[in-house]
Amino acid sequence: MSKIRKILKLYSQQRPLMSIAAQVDASRNTVKKYVSAFKASGCTFEEVNSLNDKELEDFFGKTREQAPSSRMQSMLRCFPHVDKELKRTGMTRYMLWEAYIKEFPDGYRYSQFCFYYNQWKARVNPTMHMDHKAGDKLYVDFAGEKMNLTDKDTGEIISVEVFVAILGASQLTYAEAVMSQQKEDFIAACENTLHFIGGVPAAIVPDNLKAAVTKSSRYEPTLNETFEDFAEHYGTTILPARAYRPRDKALVEGAVKILYSKVYAPLNKQTYHSLADLNAAIWEALEVHNTQFLKGRNYSRRLQFEEVERHTLTPLPVMRYQFKQHFYAKVIKNGHVNLGPDKHYYSVPYRYIGKRVKLLYSRTTVEIFSNYERIALHKRNKNPYGYTTDKEHLATTHRFKADWSPDMFLDWAASIHEDVRLYILKILDRKQHPEQAYKSCLGVLGFAKKAGNERLIVACQRALSYGIYNYKTIQTILENNMDSYEESLFADELPMPSHNNIRGDYK
């Protein structure tokens, strides 16, 4: 407004228009425009000069605002179509300007076309500038364009996804080729990113892909359970971007576009036969990108990261995350549950028999949950149709039977008398497999409670002298008078026990 006042003041002093234009640093046409408006108003300079800035703006506002020319109107009508087409992959402003100039040969040149488009874009669809705090957010996404591998034997072209991540403050960028966008590959790529930057940011901002978000919502999105478990392991938070709102993650969208020229363009000229070779080439090109000075600045992304952001990241945990999968099954009557993919059985506390439980398994462990409570933890065993049993999970009677072993019976017998231990040892030695003699041993040792330790010791000593080792012999000795039993043996009144007619597996 001060310039307008100066123009009118000089004009009231009858200065030439050229002189006024030179003094106020304005064009002759601008001076002429304001002088014409002043003349048309019929006011004196004193009256105009008494107006404040707002009133002066209103006084000359209509003069300064001119209706757009037909040439401008034609171009403005094209901008909605231009804005829509620019969202297509590979479309550029120059291509759209060529189409525009072909339809309107007297239209604006390319530089003016871009200038007016930016003004239109800012007015129609304004954006908010975001200040990124150091160590706050890591933006992750998959590139829209895929890269290719070539099978060395068949020559088949295999398309692979490209994962891209960028830190908000330093803009340090990471990229990796993976076979798919499934949660296994997605989580592994996120983990590799954290180890690449050497720390953990406060939050990870993914897109609404299924590997990260099970159900998108503007207010409370449902996170993928495995991805949420990964975030808890690394002590970070998941903040999904709003669906169909690429500006929420504009940094990673911009990083993808940069990688198209910095990584895709040079690497697509080469042939790669394995994912490892392709990733080695990606990381080499990426290092050049991260160490290159930013345009118009005297530092690179890497330098900015080392100086500003590295120390703000949370340290990495000692153990890497183990990817976990889910499996649901019903506990069978023997107190075990079958992990279907391995066909292996794991024990749970016997009170959960008949209930449906969830198995959360990784490469090395199997966790079993019931109503969000972990009821069992086992080391993973991939032996098909095998059993992994924790004795604490069994009922008391089952637990006792699970403890059966030759050493257990021998220790039990030794606690009564050495001759009883020797007799049990003879019974175990008679059987081809120890388990065949377990019930006989249990029956013999059970007589300690029924007949007493002293009578059992004498019976075992007498049976050892006969050289007959089974449950039936001890039972017969205890049931009959020992002297009459001895007489009947030699008189053949009672058949002599032998290996052929006495069995050792009586209950």
Side-chain angles (χ1 to χ4, degrees):
M1 293 301 104
S2 62
K3 185 176 286 190
I4 297 177
R5 292 181 192 278
K6 194 171 183 179
I7 290 173
L8 298 180
K9 182 178 180 180
L10 293 173
Y11 176 73
S12 66
Q13 297 173 358
Q14 298 182 352
R15 300 284 184 90
L17 296 183
M18 289 295 292
S19 176
I20 296 173
Q23 287 190 48
V24 300
D25 192 23
S27 68
R28 182 175 176 274
N29 287 335
T30 301
V31 173
K32 187 177 181 180
K33 178 180 65 176
Y34 286 117
V35 169
S36 298
F38 173 66
K39 289 179 179 180
S41 68
C43 300
T44 63
F45 170 72
E46 286 74 16
E47 293 174 337
V48 174
N49 193 40
S50 64
L51 301 175
N52 58 35
D53 287 348
K54 179 65 174 62
E55 294 170 337
L56 194 62
E57 182 183 5
D58 294 339
F59 185 81
F60 287 99
K62 294 181 180 180
T63 306
R64 292 187 292 112
E65 293 179 2
Q66 295 181 356
S69 64
S70 59
R71 185 184 178 204
M72 175 65 74
Q73 290 177 350
S74 300
M75 183 175 63
L76 291 175
R77 284 195 296 268
C78 295
F79 285 161
H81 174 74
V82 169
D83 187 55
K84 182 179 179 181
E85 290 298 310
L86 280 175
K87 296 177 182 178
R88 298 181 183 275
T89 302
M91 185 59 67
T92 65
R93 292 185 181 188
Y94 191 81
M95 295 167 63
L96 293 169
W97 172 78
E98 287 182 324
Y100 156 74
I101 206 68
K102 185 176 181 180
E103 184 176 354
F104 303 99
D106 60 339
Y108 291 89
R109 298 298 93 190
Y110 178 67
S111 60
Q112 291 176 302
F113 178 84
C114 293
F115 172 77
Y116 287 120
Y117 172 73
N118 289 336
Q119 284 191 332
W120 176 87
K121 182 82 172 175
R123 185 176 65 255
V124 173
N125 203 6
T127 60
M128 180 183 72
H129 173 71
M130 296 183 66
D131 292 320
H132 299 279
K133 296 188 294 184
D136 186 35
K137 292 184 179 68
L138 174 73
Y139 297 85
V140 300
D141 199 5
F142 282 99
E145 297 294 324
K146 298 182 180 182
M147 300 190 78
N148 297 320
L149 296 175
T150 304
D151 189 286
K152 188 179 292 185
D153 299 323
T154 64
E156 179 187 1
I157 303 298
I158 304 170
S159 296
V160 295
E161 304 284 349
V162 178
F163 170 87
V164 181
I166 184 170
L167 282 168
S170 63
Q171 299 185 31
L172 187 72
T173 307
Y174 176 79
E176 178 182 349
V178 294
M179 293 306 300
S180 71
Q181 293 190 19
Q182 298 299 316
K183 61 184 176 183
E184 294 91 337
D185 292 325
F186 174 67
I187 291 175
C190 287
E191 184 173 35
N192 291 340
T193 304
L194 299 182
H195 285 268
F196 171 77
I197 65 179
V200 183
I204 298 176
V205 183
D207 200 355
N208 280 263
L209 70 163
K210 286 294 183 182
V213 179
T214 304
K215 184 178 181 182
S216 62
S217 168
R218 184 172 183 178
Y219 304 104
E220 291 185 358
T222 304
L223 298 178
N224 183 286
E225 193 171 346
T226 307
F227 190 44
E228 192 170 18
D229 183 57
F230 162 80
E232 289 178 2
H233 176 82
Y234 278 96
T236 187
T237 305
I238 307 300
L239 298 175
R242 293 174 298 169
Y244 307 108
R245 293 294 185 275
R247 286 178 184 169
D248 287 0
K249 50 185 179 62
L251 272 181
V252 72
E253 295 283 349
V256 169
K257 292 180 180 179
I258 293 173
L259 292 186
Y260 283 156
S261 60
K262 296 290 183 68
V263 175
Y264 277 64
L267 267 58
N268 282 339
K269 298 175 183 177
Q270 307 294 327
T271 301
Y272 299 95
H273 301 293
S274 71
L275 206 59
D277 292 341
L278 177 58
N279 277 326
I282 289 175
W283 295 332
E284 185 178 345
L286 198 63
E287 188 60 26
V288 174
H289 169 66
N290 282 326
T291 55
Q292 187 177 28
F293 279 13
L294 293 166
K295 188 174 181 181
R297 303 176 191 178
N298 60 351
Y299 55 84
S300 65
R301 292 173 174 84
R302 173 66 68 179
L303 287 174
Q304 188 169 226
F305 168 74
E306 297 293 344
E307 293 177 5
V308 176
E309 197 152 23
R310 178 182 285 278
H311 69 278
T312 64
L313 300 174
T314 304
L316 293 165
V318 177
M319 301 292 292
R320 288 183 73 111
Y321 175 75
Q322 290 193 15
F323 178 77
K324 296 178 182 178
Q325 294 178 283
H326 304 136
F327 187 80
Y328 291 90
K330 188 176 181 180
V331 181
I332 57 180
K333 291 183 178 181
N334 64 5
H336 289 73
V337 63
N338 180 23
L339 179 59
D342 297 338
K343 295 182 174 63
H344 191 87
Y345 293 85
Y346 297 91
S347 67
V348 299
Y350 67 93
R351 63 182 178 275
Y352 292 98
I353 291 174
K355 293 186 178 181
R356 186 171 175 82
V357 295
K358 180 175 78 171
L359 292 89
L360 189 65
Y361 62 98
S362 67
R363 185 173 53 87
T364 57
T365 61
V366 176
E367 298 175 272
I368 304 173
F369 292 84
S370 177
N371 291 330
Y372 305 101
E373 178 189 1
R374 190 174 75 179
I375 59 175
L377 173 65
H378 298 280
K379 287 185 177 180
R380 189 175 179 184
N381 189 331
K382 295 186 179 181
N383 179 30
Y385 306 107
Y387 282 79
T388 297
T389 305
D390 184 343
K391 293 178 183 178
E392 296 298 322
H393 294 161
L394 303 177
T396 306
T397 53
H398 295 167
R399 195 181 308 168
F400 172 71
K401 189 171 182 180
D403 288 335
W404 286 4
S405 69
D407 290 338
M408 190 273 287
F409 286 110
L410 290 172
D411 291 342
W412 185 1
S415 67
I416 300 173
H417 194 271
E418 180 60 27
D419 289 336
V420 179
R421 191 195 75 82
L422 183 59
Y423 193 76
I424 293 296
L425 181 62
K426 294 292 185 181
I427 293 177
L428 291 168
D429 289 343
R430 285 181 62 244
K431 298 297 182 180
Q432 184 176 4
H433 195 283
E435 290 188 12
Q436 293 178 298
Y438 285 173
K439 289 187 178 180
S440 292
C441 293
L442 186 64
V444 170
L445 294 171
F447 283 125
K449 186 176 182 180
K450 297 176 183 177
N453 287 351
E454 294 300 326
R455 290 189 65 191
L456 176 61
I457 293 169
V458 173
C460 289
Q461 291 171 342
R462 186 61 59 87
L464 284 169
S465 68
Y466 297 152
I468 305 172
Y469 314 110
N470 54 43
Y471 164 80
K472 187 64 177 177
T473 300
I474 300 297
Q475 183 187 39
T476 303
I477 292 174
L478 291 173
E479 288 178 351
N480 298 281
N481 181 279
M482 293 185 182
D483 293 334
S484 62
Y485 176 73
E486 186 175 305
E487 291 174 1
S488 67
L489 286 175
F490 291 106
D492 292 330
E493 294 178 2
L494 182 68
M496 183 69 177
S498 68
H499 294 289
N500 296 327
N501 60 8
I502 297 180
R503 298 183 60 182
D505 56 351
Y506 288 92
K507 296 183 180 179

